[in-house]
Amino acid sequence: MIESDPPARLDTEAGTERAATALLRGAAPTSNVFEATVQRLGQSIKLGLFKPGQQLPPERDLADIIGVSRVTVRAAIQVLASGGFLVARRGRTGGTFVVDNPPQWEERSEQDGGRQVDVPGFLDRRFVLETGICELAAERASEVQVASLRQRVGQLGELVNDLVEFRRQDAQLHIAFAEATGNTDLVRMSAELQAELTPLIALIPPSPDALSHSNLQHARIVACIAKHDGASARIAMAEHLHGTRLFLGGLLPGPTQAAQSKKG
């Protein structure tokens, strides 16, 4: 009897490593480099490409794979550590490790006062409303309103170490964009949108780097409004909103076992 060769062993670890590398590299360059780095690392953890208890590659290697600076990687790791995904250990066997029990959540929604919030759907509504508001604000804003917007951006720049107050002033700035359109319905909708956004933003750990970058984008939006360039204002706001979407994509925890069992 001729014995057949045993079936080739599937190298699952190598496959997982290749998948993690592909996800970290991303499909296309982005202007939101910091937020995209948080998203890619966070999604790698949520998908199990970096498993609980596993050590991440060195910052230098991650920077090479993702195509960003080590400073950006270090800042992204700090955000994910604050969010409960990673932990730093010192000593000869130290490094950055995935925590044993990463945060869990329902994949499509988040609890808010006992009701379910469709996160992707909300972010779509926000994109449509706020990009349109900025385009209209660029056409209609007065010099006084532009000066007020610039003042608000300057105040936010002094609050990057105070997440709570930054969030309050950030919401007011976005509502002020709507006020510059002169449309009271848009002001109301903007205020309602910011109220819905608050519990989601609360899930993002405090990061002065992230807040500084966000406020630089605010400044670009205001500069476009000041030039009465509606198309550029729309694009600048779209980039700003994309950064928030990337952050939430990397920081909202992965699906719970219960959710997975329901799907199965």
Side-chain angles (χ1 to χ4, degrees):
M1 180 177 179
I2 300 175
E3 294 184 1
S4 60
D5 294 332
R9 182 177 63 86
L10 293 176
D11 192 347
T12 56
E13 289 187 6
T16 299
E17 183 177 341
R18 287 193 295 271
T21 298
L23 181 58
L24 289 172
R25 282 180 177 154
T30 173
S31 59
N32 294 291
V33 175
F34 175 56
E35 291 88 342
T37 302
V38 173
Q39 181 208 33
R40 292 170 189 173
L41 282 171
Q43 287 184 339
S44 296
I45 295 168
K46 290 189 294 184
L47 291 173
L49 302 179
F50 291 125
K51 297 177 174 59
Q54 181 178 347
Q55 184 176 6
L56 293 189
E59 289 179 0
R60 178 184 62 255
D61 294 349
L62 285 174
D64 289 342
I65 293 171
I66 301 172
V68 298
S69 69
R70 291 180 65 178
V71 172
T72 298
V73 169
R74 188 174 303 120
I77 287 174
Q78 289 172 351
V79 169
L80 288 166
S82 298
F85 291 89
L86 299 172
V87 62
R89 297 174 185 165
R90 300 184 180 278
R92 293 176 58 187
T93 58
T96 302
F97 295 80
V98 179
V99 298
D100 291 333
N101 295 294
Q104 302 292 312
W105 82 305
E106 294 294 333
E107 186 176 16
R108 289 281 301 174
S109 61
E110 183 62 36
Q111 292 286 348
D112 176 22
R115 67 188 180 91
Q116 296 287 323
V117 177
D118 178 3
V119 177
F122 167 76
L123 294 177
D124 286 344
R125 282 193 291 117
R126 186 188 183 206
F127 179 87
V128 171
L129 182 63
E130 295 218 61
T131 54
I133 281 174
C134 283
E135 183 172 10
L136 198 57
E139 296 175 6
R140 299 181 178 178
S142 67
E143 291 184 9
V144 172
Q145 287 172 322
V146 169
S148 176
L149 291 173
R150 284 175 171 152
Q151 182 179 26
R152 288 182 180 276
V153 170
Q155 291 171 342
L156 278 167
E158 299 174 358
L159 296 172
V160 294
N161 292 305
D162 185 346
L163 178 63
V164 173
E165 188 57 29
F166 185 97
R167 173 58 197 143
R168 290 196 189 102
Q169 297 296 329
D170 177 49
Q172 292 174 25
L173 173 63
H174 281 257
I175 295 169
F177 289 144
E179 290 172 344
T181 69
N183 186 308
T184 55
D185 286 335
L186 290 178
V187 174
R188 172 184 55 79
M189 287 189 282
S190 179
E192 291 171 349
L193 197 73
Q194 290 302 316
E196 287 188 73
L197 179 63
T198 295
L200 291 178
I201 293 296
L203 297 171
I204 299 179
S207 166
D209 288 325
L211 299 185
S212 294
H213 180 61
S214 175
N215 204 41
L216 284 175
Q217 293 179 324
H218 288 152
R220 293 190 194 107
I221 294 167
V222 173
C224 294
I225 292 174
K227 294 176 183 176
H228 302 290
D229 186 344
S232 294
R234 173 183 281 274
I235 292 170
M237 175 57 82
E239 290 181 352
H240 179 56
L241 299 182
H242 184 57
T244 302
R245 187 183 286 268
L246 290 172
F247 247 135
L248 290 173
L251 288 166
L252 287 178
T256 61
Q257 293 297 326
Q260 290 174 342
S261 63
K262 288 178 184 177
K263 294 175 184 177

